Amino acid sequence: MVRRGPVVLMVALLVAGCAAQQKGADGTAAPGVTDTTIKIGGVLTKTSASGYSTKDAEVGAKARFERANAAGGVHGRKIDFLGAEDDAQDAAKGDAAAKKLVQKDQVFALVPVHAPNFGGAAFLEQQGVPWFGWATGPQWCGTKTGFGYNGCLAPKQGAGSQTWWGRQVAELLGGAEGKSVYVQTSDSSGSKYGGTTISQSFTAAGFKLVGVNSGLPAAAPPPDWLPYVNKIMTSNGGRAPDVVVSVIAGTKFNVGLYAALKRAGYKGVLTDATSYDVAILQDPATAQALESVIAAPMFEPFESSAPEIAQLKQDVEKVAPGTRLTQHLAIGYWAADIFLDMLDKTGKDLTRERFLATGNGSYVYENAGFGKIQYPKDHTEPNGCGALVKLEKGAFQVAKNMKCFDNVPLK
């Protein structure tokens, strides 16, 4: 009996360990899930050769998870957040990071995923692993496992395409009748594609499209902006357009373009998706170039009086006092928020299969922070929601609160 004691103890420990790991109704174990915890990790572009970084999304996700844990978790389980891996804006590294999280760390899901060149989508889809974040490319579209908080921004021809940006600007200007728009993109495939969808957003709102220029090199800002400015300033029958939309990735590009347009006497509306960034206020020259520019974030601005934004600020301050609020932080926060809602609606009997069945089975979630998300519809089209922020006298102000509009088929 004494000799068999260690064996009996080992068996008891194994049985206890198996009991602690959550099993579904079919008896199969759910990776990363126990009776009291759910293991989660993310993939971000924390570092890159260009300096682009989405690392703040980790703080946003942690803040939302910590509030959930403080309230007792979801169905008695708290989120064990491992933090996020860095893909360094390299698709191969993103694939390796996803495999590490799933195969080695045994996470239940990936939250947040915020990496423009994320390379782990095919692996996660094949393994049936849910992932949540900011949909910025085609890898988010047509999946059953990828849940972008803004849907699919790269719809196929004939699928729904967003109209919110054009309609929000139209409402801001008191209507689009008789007003023209010019769209400037770079020669990258993503920028060109954005030029197509955003052009249609403005024409659907009633603007007259007077030009789309995709000849700008994406590698670096041009030494001379004059050729681009001349095209813009004469695009509307020899006159300047009422609105110029920049679909260019990078503040340096927008600063150069806007400064050159202002020197040429442009007085119309300048708008883009990336200029809502508190970091630009630290450089007087950059802030001056972006003065009066209207940014178009796909979440409710931090300057909003909405209770959901007050809650976000409170959550972030608890986990990281004094943290600067950025778009990337908001993206991590709202991706985590949607994941938690889907988790709650799945119920206590949790497996990946049941979770995905919930997410892909007429799932709807509305929140003033990001608008409205609907799956499976939003696997193939954007959620159609966004806000406008204007930089005035060195400070951001809400120009239009978050609002959702119907999509139209992409031509």
Side-chain angles (χ1 to χ4, degrees):
M1 294 295 294
V2 174
R3 288 184 179 180
R4 285 157 54 186
V7 175
V8 172
L9 178 60
M10 182 178 293
V11 170
L13 289 172
L14 287 171
V15 169
C18 290
Q21 188 174 30
Q22 172 69 12
K23 291 186 177 183
D26 61 356
T28 58
V33 180
T34 71
D35 290 339
T36 58
T37 63
I38 303 173
K39 192 182 294 185
I40 303 297
V43 178
L44 305 175
T45 296
K46 293 184 175 181
T47 60
S48 68
S50 66
Y52 177 79
S53 174
T54 67
K55 62 183 178 61
D56 293 351
E58 186 169 352
V59 177
K62 181 180 180 182
R64 184 62 186 90
F65 287 146
E66 285 298 310
R67 174 156 65 92
N69 287 346
V74 182
H75 297 295
R77 298 187 183 95
K78 294 189 176 182
I79 303 299
D80 178 12
F81 183 46
L82 304 183
E85 301 288 322
D86 180 14
D87 81 340
Q89 209 166 4
D90 182 297
K93 290 182 179 178
D95 183 48
K99 289 176 179 175
K100 172 186 178 293
L101 287 168
V102 173
Q103 297 172 339
K104 181 181 178 182
D105 298 331
Q106 291 286 296
V107 299
F108 174 77
L110 270 65
V111 188
V113 175
H114 183 12
N117 295 334
F118 181 57
F123 168 75
L124 297 174
E125 182 76 359
Q126 189 226 355
Q127 296 294 314
V129 179
W131 47 298
F132 290 71
W134 189 20
T136 56
Q139 67 268 44
W140 288 90
C141 303
T143 77
K144 293 182 179 180
T145 57
F147 297 88
Y149 86 91
N150 52 338
C152 158
L153 290 192
K156 293 182 178 179
Q157 189 173 9
S161 185
Q162 64 94 353
T163 66
W164 73 263
W165 194 346
R167 294 189 189 280
Q168 284 279 55
V169 172
E171 289 190 4
L172 184 68
L173 298 179
E177 186 177 355
K179 294 184 175 67
S180 58
V181 62
Y182 183 98
V183 179
Q184 178 68 61
T185 87
S186 73
D187 61 5
S188 73
S189 59
S191 184
K192 288 180 179 179
Y193 189 90
T196 299
T197 59
I198 293 165
S199 295
Q200 183 168 309
S201 176
F202 278 80
T203 56
F207 288 91
K208 176 186 176 183
L209 182 65
V210 294
V212 180
N213 184 353
S214 300
L216 180 67
D224 182 9
W225 281 101
L226 193 57
Y228 303 95
V229 169
N230 286 341
K231 285 185 178 180
I232 293 172
M233 294 297 288
T234 58
S235 61
N236 185 24
R239 296 178 291 109
D242 297 288
V243 180
V244 174
V245 184
S246 173
V247 191
I248 310 171
T251 300
K252 290 181 180 179
F253 282 88
N254 286 330
V255 166
L257 176 61
Y258 298 158
L261 280 168
K262 289 177 180 180
R263 286 195 299 269
Y266 185 71
K267 302 296 184 184
V269 173
L270 300 170
T271 182
D272 64 63
T274 60
S275 289
Y276 182 39
D277 182 357
V278 69
I280 69 175
L281 303 180
Q282 299 174 355
D283 178 50
T286 300
Q288 181 58 39
L290 298 179
E291 177 71 16
S292 77
V293 169
I294 296 174
M298 286 174 275
F299 58 87
E300 181 71 351
F302 301 120
E303 293 74 20
S304 168
S305 60
E308 292 82 357
I309 302 306
Q311 181 69 69
L312 178 153
K313 292 178 178 177
Q314 181 180 326
D315 294 344
V316 171
E317 188 63 21
K318 281 185 179 180
V319 302
T323 293
R324 187 175 64 191
L325 300 176
T326 67
Q327 287 205 51
H328 303 307
L329 183 149
I331 288 158
Y333 185 92
W334 294 122
D337 185 72
I338 294 171
F339 169 75
L340 290 168
D341 180 76
M342 200 174 290
L343 199 62
D344 179 57
K345 289 174 179 174
T346 300
K348 190 169 181 62
D349 184 9
L350 180 63
T351 63
R352 285 179 181 155
E353 291 75 14
R354 285 178 57 83
F355 182 84
L356 290 172
T358 298
N360 292 315
S362 301
Y363 174 81
V364 179
Y365 179 35
E366 293 188 63
N367 185 303
F370 61 83
K372 181 179 182 180
I373 197 78
Q374 302 177 77
Y375 280 101
K377 181 175 79 73
D378 290 344
H379 281 308
T380 56
E381 60 184 82
N383 70 337
C385 310
L388 298 179
V389 179
K390 188 175 184 179
L391 181 60
E392 289 189 291
K393 297 180 181 179
F396 290 112
Q397 298 183 16
V398 179
K400 293 288 292 182
N401 290 101
M402 169 63 62
K403 190 173 181 180
C404 301
F405 296 83
D406 290 338
N407 294 332
V408 296
L410 180 64
K411 297 178 181 177

